[in-house]
Amino acid sequence: MSMDLTVWCDGEISLPNVLPEPSCWQEYKSERAYEKENWQVLVVPGEDEEPGSSILEKFPKASKAYYITLEPIGADAEGYMFLEKVTRALAKSCGGVWINPYGTAYFYNEGSFNE
């Protein structure tokens, strides 16, 4: 199992330039991976998804999704802190929103990862 979040933007994000520690990411086709001994964070651009109404209410220009995954869900605190850092960096870089596991949309400087 994994912890899965989404960032919605109004266009493409320049990966890996906006990611924390950009030189430490591996590229596998369209997927980016930051790997540690006991966990990894993946960033995958979405294809042609449509944003839901709750996303559009918060960010009407939403048109492109990026999926951020932490594996495994039982990762340590360092893994979860890095997941937050990546998610907020992506949302900030594009002025978009991140979506928590409950479907609530937040700008990069909003919301809690400790809910």
Side-chain angles (χ1 to χ4, degrees), residues 23-60:
S23 64
C24 296
W25 291 79
Q26 301 298 314
E27 183 176 4
Y28 304 101
K29 298 186 182 181
S30 65
E31 178 178 286
R32 302 283 176 156
Y34 183 94
E35 300 171 347
K36 287 291 205 173
E37 185 175 329
N38 296 315
W39 55 267
Q40 69 176 350
V41 172
L42 307 171
V43 176
V44 181
E47 294 299 318
D48 294 323
E49 297 85 356
E50 292 293 322
S53 60
S54 65
I55 296 164
L56 292 171
E57 285 175 21
K58 183 79 172 182
F59 185 58

Side-chain angles (χ1 to χ4, degrees), residues 19-114:
L19 295 170
E21 302 180 39
S23 64
C24 296
W25 291 79
Q26 301 298 314
E27 183 176 4
Y28 304 101
K29 298 186 182 181
S30 65
E31 178 178 286
R32 302 283 176 156
Y34 183 94
E35 300 171 347
K36 287 291 205 173
E37 185 175 329
N38 296 315
W39 55 267
Q40 69 176 350
V41 172
L42 307 171
V43 176
V44 181
E47 294 299 318
D48 294 323
E49 297 85 356
E50 292 293 322
S53 60
S54 65
I55 296 164
L56 292 171
E57 285 175 21
K58 183 79 172 182
F59 185 58
K61 298 187 298 182
S63 62
K64 175 77 174 171
Y66 286 82
Y67 300 102
I68 305 99
T69 298
L70 172 64
E71 297 175 337
I73 199 165
D76 60 23
E78 180 187 15
Y80 276 91
M81 287 187 296
F82 196 74
L83 172 69
E84 178 176 0
K85 193 174 184 179
V86 169
T87 302
R88 291 190 189 278
L90 289 175
K92 183 178 183 179
S93 75
C94 67
V97 294
W98 68 275
I99 313 304
N100 74 6
Y102 308 106
T104 305
Y106 297 101
F107 289 111
Y108 81 93
N109 59 350
E110 298 178 327
S112 172
F113 278 67
N114 300 319

